[in-house]
Amino acid sequence: MSSAWPLVITLLYVATAMLIGLRARAGRSMNSLEEWGVAGRSMGPVTLYLLIAAGSVSAYTFMGAPGWAYSKGVAVFYVAIYLAYLALVAWYFGPKVWQFGEQFGHVTQASAIADRYQSPALGALSALVMAVGSVAYAVLQTIGSAYILFVMSGGLIPVWLGVLLVLACIAVYLYASGQRAIGRTNAFQGVLMLVVAWAVGLWAIHSATGGLSFAGVFERIAAENPEFLTLPGAGGDMSFSFWTTSIIVSMFSFMPPVWTQWMSASSARTIRRSATWLPTYYVVILPMVVVGFIGIFSLPELARADTVVLEYAMQHLPVVLVGLLGAGTLAASMSSSEPFIHSVSLSVSKDVLQPLLKLSEGATAKLARLLILPIMFLVIAPLAIAEPGSLVMILLVGLGFASQVLPAFIGMFFWPRASRLGVMAGILGGFIVTVAFTTLWRHPLGIHAGFWGLMVNLPLFVLVSLVTPATREEVVERFFRISAPRGLTRLGKQVS
């Protein structure tokens, strides 16, 4: 593509995002974890709605999910199940997590775990395991961002340079404004993504079929490539067992940024209102997935499935729309990488380094802001430049590790008898199995490595909890007054 407009529009988006992120600070001091970490618990329902929505709709909306539709077919619809589930989780658990933070002073997910089990060591372990999953997610988004700049510049900005540019941009406003920058930029990015996805999707459908109905695309797929409409898909590599266990692993991953978003709300009621609206945003993914299906018959020889939307746009759509697609895709990537980088820095500082080095709250807050730099440029950048595997597969591997912290949440919301040693044993056992089945024996019997980890993790958690001392009763009661299912203070004990 010879026109400079796509790159100009994309760079204008980057400049706008930086300006919004820097102005989000609005004169406030960021030298406290409460302010830099959770925006002083001040976000209203509309900002929170766009924050959660844009944060959960990432690069896979414009690249990964269409890529799976293009290469595997209907297996991609695991995303629809996962997003619907996220809204339910936010509606039920979000207000309870907000009350934990507001009443007990938590600013991270691992802080809540450490408090529930009265164990800083368990909090640190949870923070480190979650950091593995969070870094994988941030790497995924950074690869997507860099690739957009590579395509929009016609190859003038190589992937390695794109990685550094995007991370540098995020670093500036994340350091300056913390969670407030994430809230403001995600609100802008969320609106941009919704408009761009539907504009590009409808234009692509019209250019491919002459109409605006999704049905025309699927009727042609059914006639010419019916193997894309059933599992295991056209490549034969997406078995029902892997598809199903991937969904289960995704559903059991309570990622730390989501927890931080809930604690940034102005009230518990704000979270419930935002969660109720969330399904209205998740329709953003539908037109992009349909463009992936269009690629099956329009771009049959594509070398890299993740690029199907971009390739189709550059061949069939006006340059202005291609530029908006670049901006929208970059917005999707950045809106998701920001909260994951922020949460890793926040949690490692608060839950690992503060107890280890016995730092004050003020020193920990300064450390959290500075730590984003080595996380970005010494960990995420090298991994993103190496481009390890497909985007969705990176996401699933990350979720496989994150899901191993599940026992900590079972004990926090449902099972008072859960013990510190039981949770530790489960996490460690599950993590080791997930590592082995991700690197040495990849997904045995076609079952996701993270699911194998949970099959070892959960029995260990229950057995060790039953034979080791439980957490002090007053601590458990303090949590279960908030978290127990309605009508119960503890399981089996009715409210008097």
Side-chain angles (χ1 to χ4, degrees):
M1 179 176 289
S2 57
S3 174
W5 276 109
L7 180 60
V8 170
I9 293 171
T10 304
L11 292 179
L12 278 174
Y13 152 74
V14 174
T16 307
M18 279 197 70
L19 184 63
I20 292 172
L22 286 170
R23 288 177 63 85
R25 179 174 176 157
R28 294 179 180 82
S29 170
M30 290 289 148
N31 288 326
S32 74
L33 290 173
E34 186 82 5
E35 191 60 61
W36 190 81
V38 293
R41 307 185 201 277
S42 63
M43 291 186 178
V46 176
T47 301
L48 192 69
Y49 161 72
L50 290 169
L51 171 66
I52 297 174
S56 56
V57 174
S58 59
Y60 70 69
T61 303
F62 291 87
M63 298 179 74
W68 264 38
Y70 176 81
S71 61
K72 304 180 188 304
V74 293
V76 70
F77 287 117
Y78 96 91
V79 172
I81 298 171
Y82 176 60
L83 290 177
Y85 168 79
L86 282 184
L88 289 172
V89 167
W91 191 90
Y92 182 78
F93 292 102
K96 298 174 188 290
V97 169
W98 184 87
Q99 285 184 277
F100 290 161
E102 198 270 341
Q103 293 186 20
F104 309 148
H106 307 152
V107 294
T108 65
Q109 183 184 70
S111 300
I113 293 171
D115 186 17
R116 159 64 179 85
Y117 297 97
Q118 297 292 287
S119 171
L122 178 56
L125 176 65
S126 305
L128 292 173
V129 171
M130 279 297 190
V132 175
S134 297
V135 165
Y137 201 85
V139 167
L140 182 155
Q141 308 308 325
T142 306
I143 293 172
S145 300
Y147 187 76
I148 292 302
L149 289 177
F150 174 78
V151 172
M152 294 297 119
S153 68
L156 292 176
I157 302 177
V159 169
W160 68 267
L161 182 57
V163 166
L164 296 179
L165 286 174
V166 168
L167 290 179
C169 170
I170 294 174
V172 169
Y173 61 72
L174 203 53
Y175 177 84
S177 308
Q179 182 71 351
R180 289 187 184 276
I182 296 173
R184 294 286 180 85
T185 54
N186 274 21
F188 164 63
Q189 291 156 343
V191 173
L192 178 66
M193 281 188 278
L194 191 61
V195 172
V196 168
W198 277 95
V200 169
L202 291 176
W203 198 296
I205 291 167
H206 187 266
S207 73
T209 67
L212 292 175
S213 170
F214 290 4
V217 176
F218 289 102
E219 286 169 1
R220 184 164 175 182
I221 296 289
E224 299 177 10
N225 306 93
E227 67 275 17
F228 283 91
L229 299 181
T230 57
L231 293 177
D237 58 349
M238 182 52 65
S239 65
F240 183 76
S241 58
F242 189 78
W243 190 77
T244 307
T245 52
S246 295
I247 292 174
I248 293 172
V249 165
S250 302
M251 294 170 79
F252 286 153
S253 303
F254 284 63
M255 297 299 273
V258 176
W259 199 281
T260 306
Q261 290 164 0
W262 295 341
M263 286 196 291
S264 303
S266 57
S267 69
R269 186 166 177 264
T270 295
I271 301 175
R272 191 145 288 174
R273 290 173 67 187
S274 303
T276 303
W277 300 340
L278 274 179
T280 64
Y281 190 88
Y282 289 150
V283 296
V284 68
I285 202 167
L286 294 178
M288 292 295 95
V289 167
V290 173
V291 178
F293 279 102
I294 290 173
I296 293 170
F297 54 80
S298 298
L299 303 167
E301 303 299 327
L302 202 56
R304 182 173 171 173
D306 290 335
T307 67
V308 59
V309 174
L310 280 171
E311 292 289 345
Y312 188 86
M314 287 191 293
Q315 293 185 25
H316 299 279
L317 304 190
V319 291
V320 172
L321 212 50
V322 174
L324 286 173
L325 176 62
T329 309
L330 197 54
S333 304
M334 291 172 63
S335 67
S336 295
S337 64
E338 294 162 15
F340 279 86
I341 294 167
H342 173 262
S343 75
V344 171
S345 182
L346 183 65
S347 192
V348 169
S349 301
K350 172 66 180 172
D351 304 305
V352 180
L353 297 177
Q354 185 183 28
L356 187 66
L357 303 176
K358 303 190 185 309
L359 300 174
S360 66
E361 284 294 303
T364 306
K366 291 177 182 174
L367 178 63
R369 295 176 71 189
L370 288 172
L371 199 59
I372 61 172
L373 300 177
I375 290 172
M376 284 180 165
F377 296 105
L378 299 181
V379 179
I380 295 173
L383 290 173
I385 291 170
E387 294 187 71
S390 82
L391 298 186
V392 173
M393 195 55 72
I394 296 171
L395 171 65
L396 289 177
V397 169
L399 292 175
F401 286 106
S403 65
Q404 301 312 314
V405 186
L406 176 64
F409 306 122
I410 293 175
M412 191 175 294
F413 293 101
F414 300 112
W415 194 36
R417 185 62 182 81
S419 76
R420 168 179 62 89
L421 293 175
V423 174
M424 280 185 175
I427 291 176
L428 289 173
F431 187 80
I432 291 169
V433 170
T434 304
V435 170
F437 287 178
T438 300
T439 57
L440 300 178
W441 306 282
R442 293 176 64 83
H443 311 301
L445 303 177
I447 293 174
H448 193 287
F451 190 82
W452 282 112
L454 286 174
M455 290 176 69
V456 172
N457 179 333
L458 294 176
L460 261 179
F461 159 59
V462 173
L463 289 173
V464 176
S465 288
L466 290 175
V467 297
T468 54
T471 309
R472 295 199 314 271
E473 188 170 350
E474 63 270 25
V475 174
V476 176
E477 288 289 350
R478 173 160 60 86
F479 270 81
F480 274 72
R481 276 198 299 271
I482 296 172
S483 63
R486 183 181 292 274
L488 300 173
T489 52
R490 295 179 58 168
L491 293 186
K493 185 183 291 186
Q494 195 73 30
V495 173
S496 58

